[in-house]
């Protein structure tokens, strides 16, 4: 990732969903995610982070657990009423599965980059911007059937690249 905001946008939803498995306190999750990104930004500058996705997930888990420990010490509540990551091992997403999904996303993006510029544009408009075919016709300046044909060729090319 070349841009920190792109990195944030790519991982924030994944991290938030992961955090929701640890606690129902949405504000705590948001605070912890922001802390993780600040820490990543500091470590990234030092060149210490090699796998961004793994680092962010692990850092979020540790940060939320640190918050639980701190809250347990500060409050009179029984710490057992807090839902921690250790208690939720059955609900946790499989780390290898998460890693495989990120690798698949990376491969898909690499394959899209191999398409022609017009094929990349139609994939972006349809899937990323969620435009309808009629809108794509107007944006690209081609008729409806040409949009359908271009989309078909683009998807066929991506399937062939995925097989190899």
């Amino acid at each position: 990732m070349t841009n920190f905001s792109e990195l944030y946008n790519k991982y924030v939803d994944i991290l938030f969903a992961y955090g929701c498995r640890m606690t129902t306190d949405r504000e705590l999750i948001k605070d912890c995610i922001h802390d993780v990104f600040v820490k990543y930004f500091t470590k990234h500058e030092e060149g210490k982070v090699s796998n961004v996705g793994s680092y962010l997930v692990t850092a979020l888990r540790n940060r939320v657990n640190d918050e639980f420990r701190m809250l347990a010490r500060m409050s009179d509540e029984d710490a057992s009423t807090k839902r921690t990551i250790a208690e939720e091992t059955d609900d946790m997403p499989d780390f290898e599965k998460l890693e495989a999904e990120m690798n698949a996303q990376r491969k898909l993006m690499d394959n899209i980059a191999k398409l022609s510029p017009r094929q990349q544009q139609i994939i972006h408009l349809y899937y990323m911007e969620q435009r309808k075919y009629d809108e794509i016709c107007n944006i690209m300046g081609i008729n409806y059937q040409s949009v359908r044909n271009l989309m078909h060729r683009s998807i066929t090319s991506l399937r062939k690249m995925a097989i190899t």
Side-chain angles (χ1 to χ4, degrees):
M1 288 284 143
T2 57
N3 186 336
F4 188 74
S5 63
E6 289 174 11
L7 178 79
Y8 181 86
N9 290 333
K10 179 178 180 181
Y11 289 106
V12 70
D13 292 332
I14 294 169
L15 293 173
F16 188 76
Y18 184 72
C20 286
R21 290 175 170 254
M22 292 185 272
T23 182
T24 57
D25 187 346
R26 293 172 160 293
E27 293 305 312
L28 175 69
I29 296 167
K30 290 176 188 176
D31 290 342
C32 289
I33 289 172
H34 291 145
D35 291 346
V36 164
F37 275 103
V38 168
K39 186 175 178 184
Y40 167 78
F41 185 72
T42 305
K43 285 199 179 283
H44 180 267
E45 293 298 317
E46 298 170 9
K48 293 182 180 178
V49 178
S50 60
N51 186 329
V52 178
S54 300
Y55 172 83
L56 293 174
V57 170
T58 302
L60 178 61
R61 182 183 66 230
N62 292 338
R63 184 70 186 103
V64 170
N65 281 333
D66 289 346
E67 283 293 316
F68 286 149
R69 283 189 285 276
M70 186 178 70
L71 288 172
R73 281 194 301 262
M74 291 175 33
S75 73
D76 294 332
E77 285 183 25
D78 180 14
S80 64
T81 62
K82 296 290 180 185
R83 189 174 159 192
T84 66
I85 190 72
E87 297 167 344
E88 297 299 325
T89 55
D90 294 336
D91 284 348
M92 275 184 16
D94 187 12
F95 188 72
E96 287 82 22
K97 182 180 176 186
L98 185 62
E99 189 71 28
E101 287 174 9
M102 286 197 273
N103 287 336
Q105 265 188 338
R106 219 173 286 125
K107 184 177 179 183
L108 176 62
M109 296 310 284
D110 291 344
N111 289 342
I112 289 173
K114 294 176 186 174
L115 296 174
S116 73
R118 289 182 61 80
Q119 288 175 321
Q120 289 179 28
Q121 182 182 15
I122 198 165
I123 294 291
H124 179 79
L125 290 171
Y126 189 78
Y127 289 104
M128 311 310 186
E129 294 184 19
Q130 298 181 345
R131 305 273 185 150
K132 305 271 187 232
Y133 283 129
D134 293 331
E135 294 176 82
I136 296 171
C137 291
N138 293 333
I139 293 169
M140 295 184 74
I142 56 178
N143 68 38
Y144 186 85
Q145 189 59 49
S146 296
V147 168
R148 299 285 300 210
N149 291 344
L150 181 59
M151 179 61 80
H152 176 73
R153 284 192 306 274
S154 302
I155 298 298
T156 302
S157 295
L158 285 173
R159 284 183 182 151
K160 286 179 184 175
M161 286 186 249
I163 292 171
T164 58

